[in-house]
């Protein structure tokens, strides 16, 4: 039985962004946890180490507007602990050793996942596929356009939800609730855009505390939804074909 896995994290120059990019690019010192590392498959953008160099360039060029104690406006270099790298990852439930990378279903999942990440986070600096771990997965790395005034809230729904409450002036509890709600919605949206097309469940049985019969019933319903969606996709394709004839 299959369920979705999608996760998004953020990093700064100080807190590991370089290491995340190096691991994505399968640099030897950052891939020791992989038994037989393989070069990543580039899906979009540039190689991860080049993407990280661009993030560092943006960070070095960016300036934050501040107010001095005297009340005068001023600029300062961006802090090294400011979040500047967004790293999203999605995993395909079929074990890598059982996967045919040219399988139409997998290719469809891969494209839908990339489309979802682009819609939510913008164009990637790099998007790569790993086929050297237990399950195939996509890493999608991008960054706000710091020089144009963007910050992480402009490409990350959790940061956006917190910013809409008033930033530092909002209470921590309220910001925490807003963050959790935004990230639950993120998972819901990924399921609607991607997972339900492949009968992948939103949550696994342990998270839902379901019995085996309950989980099997949920999986059967997911498969029925998948079939209906495929039928709709087929009908839409036929209509477009007839329209262009």
């Amino acid at each position: 039985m299959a369920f979705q896995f999608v996760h998004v994290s953020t990093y700064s120059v100080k807190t590991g962004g370089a290491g995340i990019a190096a691991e994505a690019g399968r640099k030897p010192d950052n891939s020791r946890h992989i038994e037989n590392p393989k070069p990543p498959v580039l899906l979009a953008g540039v190689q991860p180490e080049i993407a990280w160099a661009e993030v560092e360039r943006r960070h070095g060029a960016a300036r934050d507007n501040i107010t001095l104690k005297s009340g005068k406006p001023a600029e300062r270099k961006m802090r090294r602990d400011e979040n500047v790298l967004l790293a999203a990852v999605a995993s395909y439930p079929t074990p890598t050793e059982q996967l045919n990378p040219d399988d139409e279903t997998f290719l469809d999942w891969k494209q839908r996942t990339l489309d979802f990440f682009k819609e939510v986070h913008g164009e990637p600096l790099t998007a790569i596929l790993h086929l050297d771990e237990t399950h195939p997965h996509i890493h999608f790395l991008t960054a706000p356009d710091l020089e144009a005034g963007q910050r992480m809230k402009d490409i990350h729904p959790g940061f956006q939800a917190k910013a809409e409450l008033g930033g530092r002036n909002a209470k921590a509890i309220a910001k925490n609730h807003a963050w959790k709600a935004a990230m639950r919605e993120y998972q819901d949206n990924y399921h609607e855009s991607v997972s339900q097309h492949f009968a992948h469940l939103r949550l696994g049985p342990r998270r839902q505390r379901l019995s085996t019969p309950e989980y099997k019933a949920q999986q059967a319903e997911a498969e029925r939804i998948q079939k209906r969606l495929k039928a709709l996709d087929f009908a839409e394709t036929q209509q477009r074909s007839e329209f262009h004839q």
Side-chain angles (χ1 to χ4, degrees), residues 4-11 20 83-91 113 116-122 138-144 152-160 179-190:
Q4 71 180 33
F5 176 86
V6 61
H7 184 72
V8 58
S9 302
T10 58
Y11 302 89
I20 294 300
N83 287 298
V84 291
L85 176 70
L86 181 147
V89 60
S91 179
T113 295
F116 172 82
F117 284 153
K118 288 179 182 180
E119 181 178 354
V120 177
H121 304 302
I138 293 172
H139 287 278
F140 182 100
L141 307 184
T142 193
M152 192 56 69
K153 65 180 177 61
D154 296 298
I155 64 171
H156 189 298
F159 281 86
Q160 181 180 12
W179 174 280
K180 289 182 177 180
M183 300 321 294
R184 282 195 298 269
E185 184 178 5
Y186 183 88
Q187 294 284 336
D188 291 341
N189 290 342
Y190 181 78

Side-chain angles (χ1 to χ4, degrees), residues 175-199:
K175 290 194 290 186
N176 187 47
H177 285 323
W179 174 280
K180 289 182 177 180
M183 300 321 294
R184 282 195 298 269
E185 184 178 5
Y186 183 88
Q187 294 284 336
D188 291 341
N189 290 342
Y190 181 78
H191 186 265
E192 181 178 347
S193 299
V194 182
S195 299
Q196 67 173 349
H197 293 269
F198 307 96

Side-chain angles (χ1 to χ4, degrees), residues 7 9-10 18 41 81 83 111 122 129 161 169 225 242:
H7 184 72
S9 302
T10 58
V41 179
D81 60 357
N83 287 298
Q111 188 59 55
L129 171 68
N169 296 324
I225 292 172
E242 291 173 1

Side-chain angles (χ1 to χ4, degrees), residues 5 8 27 38 50 65 67 70 104 116-117 125 130 160-161 164 170 183 196 204 219 223 229 233 236 239 241 245:
F5 176 86
V8 58
K27 295 300 179 184
K38 297 179 181 178
I50 301 175
N65 295 318
T67 302
S70 63
E104 289 186 7
F116 172 82
F117 284 153
L125 292 174
H130 283 159
Q160 181 180 12
E164 288 174 352
M183 300 321 294
Q196 67 173 349
Q219 183 69 52
E223 290 171 355
L229 290 171
D233 288 342
E236 290 176 0
Q239 288 178 351
S241 177
Q245 285 181 354

Side-chain angles (χ1 to χ4, degrees), residues 9-205:
S9 302
T10 58
Y11 302 89
S12 69
V13 173
K14 183 178 180 180
T15 60
I20 294 300
E23 180 184 348
R26 288 297 184 252
K27 295 300 179 184
D29 287 345
N30 301 87
S31 305
R32 293 175 180 173
H33 61 294
I34 309 299
E35 186 174 348
N36 295 302
K38 297 179 181 178
V41 179
L42 184 64
L43 304 178
V46 297
Q47 293 293 340
E49 62 270 23
I50 301 175
W52 177 248
E54 170 61 13
V55 174
E56 287 190 309
R57 188 199 67 77
R58 292 184 186 186
H59 176 268
R63 296 293 182 271
D64 284 327
N65 295 318
I66 61 171
T67 302
L68 301 175
K69 290 183 179 180
S70 63
K72 293 182 179 180
E75 288 186 345
R76 71 176 180 190
K77 291 183 178 181
M78 179 172 283
R79 292 165 52 123
R80 287 178 55 80
D81 60 357
E82 182 84 16
N83 287 298
V84 291
L85 176 70
L86 181 147
V89 60
S91 179
Y92 193 64
T94 298
T96 304
E97 62 183 11
Q98 300 174 18
L99 178 75
N100 174 5
D102 296 321
D103 176 71
E104 289 186 7
T105 300
F106 175 68
L107 294 176
D108 188 19
W109 172 85
K110 186 169 63 174
Q111 188 59 55
R112 287 180 185 272
T113 295
L114 284 174
D115 290 344
F116 172 82
F117 284 153
K118 288 179 182 180
E119 181 178 354
V120 177
H121 304 302
E123 288 296 318
L125 292 174
T126 183
I128 55 98
L129 171 68
H130 283 159
L131 295 171
D132 56 4
E133 295 186 63
T134 56
H135 290 81
H137 54 278
I138 293 172
H139 287 278
F140 182 100
L141 307 184
T142 193
D145 188 345
L146 302 174
E147 295 167 274
Q150 280 193 340
R151 294 297 183 263
M152 192 56 69
K153 65 180 177 61
D154 296 298
I155 64 171
H156 189 298
F159 281 86
Q160 181 180 12
K162 289 170 66 174
E164 288 174 352
L165 290 178
R168 295 180 180 177
N169 296 324
K171 292 184 178 179
I173 293 177
K175 290 194 290 186
N176 187 47
H177 285 323
W179 174 280
K180 289 182 177 180
M183 300 321 294
R184 282 195 298 269
E185 184 178 5
Y186 183 88
Q187 294 284 336
D188 291 341
N189 290 342
Y190 181 78
H191 186 265
E192 181 178 347
S193 299
V194 182
S195 299
Q196 67 173 349
H197 293 269
F198 307 96
H200 299 165
L201 299 182
R202 165 73 168 75
L203 295 171

